[in-house]
Amino acid sequence: MLDPVILLPAAINGLTMGAVYALVALGLTLIYGVLHIINFAHGSLLMVGLYGAFFLHRFGVDPYLALLVMVPALFALGYVLQWSVIGRASHGSDQNVLLVTLGASIVIENLALYFFSADTQTIDTPYAIAMVDIGVALVSLPRLIALGASLALAAILWLLIARTDLGRAIRAVAKERQGARLMGIDVDHIFAMSFGIGTACLGAAACLLLPMFYVSPHIGHVFVLVAFTVVVLGGMGSFSGALIGGLLIGVTESLCGLLLGESLGQIGIFLIFIATLLFRPSGLFGSRLS
Amino acid sequence: MTAQRLLDIRGLRAGYDGVAVLHGVDLHVDAGEIVTLLGSNGAGKSTLNNNVSGLFRPYDGAVYFEGEDITGASSTHIVARGLVQVPEGRRIFPNLTVRENLDLGSYRRARQHRASNLERVTAIFPRLGERMTQIAGTLSGGEQQMLAIGRGLMAEPRLLILDEPSLGLSPLLVEEMFALIRRLHVEGLALLLVEQNVVQSLELAQRGYVLENGRIVLSGQATELCEDPALRRAYLGV
């Protein structure tokens, strides 16, 4: 069972899923890092993205083409949600925000249940079962695309945060709001932009997931727990932490699924998680607790 | 010969959570002037700055900048107009590099002149030029103060408010700071210098105001204020 012929494909498969986890976690960690919000609505917003791509597919739009629609659409949804609901309800209190995002997720999920029913649904694409031989293993095409696109999007996100004025302002606002205001930075706008960008990551993740996954109103739960684990494992608010953590969790889940059976695969995630926090309480890339 | 009036504060009443701190303050700064605002801790100096800069909305009174009523305007608008504050405590972005801090100085204003202003600021502060890639939070206190001023200059301010620039600096650095302020003034910048450092501020300024318990109790030419018996008693202990 530990033959590399079996292990290697499993690890690569885990890597592909891990890249999507990383994308979801990047959005979550960005929102946390800047707004200090634990965004409980993150999973529900991913579900919105999945249904968006799902219905676009019904109208004949390929999920990968739907990226061009869903990323801006989820960005706009996140911007408006932060600007008009979360920001206004917070009054500067973190407990408020916790409840507001939790409430938003309940509302969104139940609206989805009402309109779309609780049935799980999938789409059929011509490439759903296409396999690609990458030399060491056969990998399904949608998974390979998910891996490549997720890494590319993470790179774009990194450039945006590291190299643009918007990114500098986002990082500035994360640490020094009053100083930012005095430089003429519109802090509320930057908050909404951060939330929007974090949500846009979900739009991308949704389009990449749809060809290899299913849709249901509760699908957010599958990912949000893993995403929270990734964010804490990588270090709250850390960009590289979310990326490396996501990949690590994906591989762990896949290998443990192989060794322990599919239903026990997630045990590995939490074993790694607990072991990491025992030795690095602030996560892999978190600033050390003093 | 009336110089161009830059900042004109009339009857400003302001405070926090309904408790008034300023009870009707009148103050003005003309083009090319250094005006100093003196006062002890808790007199309301920073409250005044933060209401002028748009962080808070005044209860009453008016603030004009170059003839435009900016009372209660947003800080983004006020910075865009060229009224820039270097706050007490510096408020630099500790997680960003020196260069990124300076870049964000021109976030709202003078963005197209960023490169040339960056050269100008590093000419004024060679130490910052040497440390462009250093994380700002790891700078010494004096360097952080330089960075805060440099960041403010990146916006090409029409009027620069300096809130306690000498606070927490060693005597040598305080000298350096005042020499720098003189230099900025010689280059034509108008400054509102908010200080506890009475002697050096009055040496530098043309005019001064003394704020006590939210009211201006004394104002006039700096040379006259220096001789004022009440001020000498209260602030110089003579």
Side-chain angles (χ1 to χ4, degrees), chain A residues 38-112:
Chain A
I38 311 281
N39 179 23
F40 279 117
H42 208 62
S44 321
L45 291 168
L46 175 66
M47 178 268 291
V48 170
L50 280 163
Y51 272 108
F54 177 79
F55 285 112
L56 279 174
H57 180 260
R58 275 209 180 157
F59 291 112
V61 182
D62 184 86
Y64 299 127
L65 208 59
L67 267 171
L68 298 175
V69 181
M70 291 316 294
V71 172
L74 269 271
F75 169 80
L77 177 63
Y79 189 101
V80 169
L81 193 64
Q82 162 64 25
W83 182 270
S84 57
V85 181
I86 299 174
R88 280 178 207 280
S90 77
H91 302 291
S93 151
D94 289 352
Q95 295 98 306
N96 287 3
V97 176
L98 214 67
L99 288 176
V100 170
T101 60
L102 189 62
S105 80
I106 294 170
V107 170
I108 294 169
E109 261 184 51
N110 283 285
L111 283 175

Side-chain angles (χ1 to χ4, degrees), chain B residues 229-238:
Chain B
L231 182 123
R232 291 173 71 87
R233 237 190 341 271
Y235 290 95
L236 306 177
V238 289

Side-chain angles (χ1 to χ4, degrees), chain A residues 161-163 165-166 168-169 171-187 189-190, chain B residues 50 53 55 75-76 79 84-85 87 91-96 100 103-108 111 114 151-152:
Chain A
I161 299 293
R163 292 275 186 272
D165 258 16
L166 172 64
R168 291 183 198 108
R171 285 180 289 138
V173 165
K175 286 282 180 190
E176 181 48 69
R177 291 173 193 180
Q178 190 176 331
R181 282 202 179 89
L182 289 173
M183 290 300 106
I185 295 171
D186 183 344
V187 171
H189 167 70
I190 294 295
Chain B
N50 290 337
S53 290
L55 296 186
S75 55
T76 53
V79 170
V84 177
Q85 186 196 153
R91 302 276 178 188
I92 55 158
F93 307 120
N95 52 330
L96 271 56
E100 288 175 327
D103 283 347
L104 284 182
S106 54
Y107 179 85
R108 182 63 58 188
R111 194 182 297 205
R114 181 173 286 176
R151 187 180 63 173

